[in-house]
Amino acid sequence: MGLLLCLLVIVITVSFTLGQTPYQECGSPGVEMVNVNIENCVVNPCVLRRGTNASIAFSFTTKKTFSTLTDEVYGIVDGLPIPFTLPESNACKLGAKCPMEPKIKQSEHFAIFVKEDYPQVPIIAKILLTDNKNEQQGCFEVGLVIK
C-alpha cells in the first residue's frame, strides 16, 4: 500500500511539473498534437484572470511538409464560435521551424490578453491550424473559465 501511494504521488508530481494542460483533439488530419501547455493550468477547466495575458504553448508533428500553417483561435460560448485576434498568426513566426517537415517536432507559443470586459463564463478555447489553402490541418480544444 505504501509503495502504491508513493508511486501515485510521483505520477501526480511529474504531471504538475511538466505543466501539461489536458486538451481534446478536434480534427487533425495533417498534424499530430504532442502536448499543450496553458500557463498555470494542469486541470480542466483552466482559469483565466481578466486583465492578464494567457500564455499558450503547444507542440506537434506534421504528417507531411507544410511551408507554413496559420493559427486561428476561437472562444466557443453557448455553441457560438467567437474569433480571438492574434497579434501574429503565422506559425513560422510563433516558433515553428519552416518549412515544416514530417515527424519533426514543432513548437509554438503565443499570448492572448484576457480583457476586463470579457464575461465571467465557461468557454471552450478552440485552436485551429490551417494551411495555405485555408484547410484545417490541426485542432485542439481546452475548457476555460474567465474570472
Side-chain angles (χ1 to χ4, degrees):
M1 180 93 154
L3 179 59
L4 183 60
L5 180 59
C6 183
L7 288 174
L8 181 62
V9 169
I10 290 171
V11 168
I12 290 171
T13 302
V14 169
S15 296
F16 279 94
T17 303
L18 293 176
Q20 292 188 12
T21 302
Y23 66 94
Q24 181 73 38
E25 285 203 47
C26 50
S28 300
V31 306
E32 184 174 321
M33 296 306 302
V34 175
N35 65 35
V36 174
N37 182 358
I38 297 177
E39 190 174 29
N40 298 318
C41 177
V42 292
V43 296
N44 263 328
C46 297
V47 176
L48 302 184
R49 304 271 177 215
R50 293 187 297 176
T52 66
N53 280 314
S55 177
I56 302 167
F58 58 94
S59 299
F60 60 93
T61 59
T62 61
K63 297 176 184 176
K64 63 181 186 176
T65 301
F66 292 102
S67 59
T68 188
L69 291 171
T70 300
D71 291 14
E72 297 176 24
V73 179
Y74 297 89
I76 301 173
V77 180
D78 291 331
L80 299 172
I82 301 166
F84 281 80
T85 302
L86 294 174
E88 179 60 62
S89 61
N90 183 326
C92 303
K93 295 180 181 178
L94 295 171
K97 294 174 183 68
C98 296
M100 295 176 221
E101 298 295 331
K103 300 182 183 177
I104 303 295
K105 185 177 176 182
Q106 301 289 339
S107 296
E108 291 190 44
H109 178 268
F110 58 84
I112 295 176
F113 184 70
V114 183
K115 296 180 182 178
E116 291 285 349
D117 60 351
Y118 286 173
Q120 294 185 6
V121 296
I123 65 172
I124 302 288
K126 184 173 191 170
I127 292 87
L128 297 172
L129 298 172
T130 58
D131 62 18
N132 59 0
K133 296 176 185 172
N134 205 32
E135 294 176 355
Q136 179 177 318
Q137 297 299 325
C139 178
F140 66 91
E141 296 177 336
V142 177
L144 305 174
V145 173
I146 296 177
K147 293 199 176 200

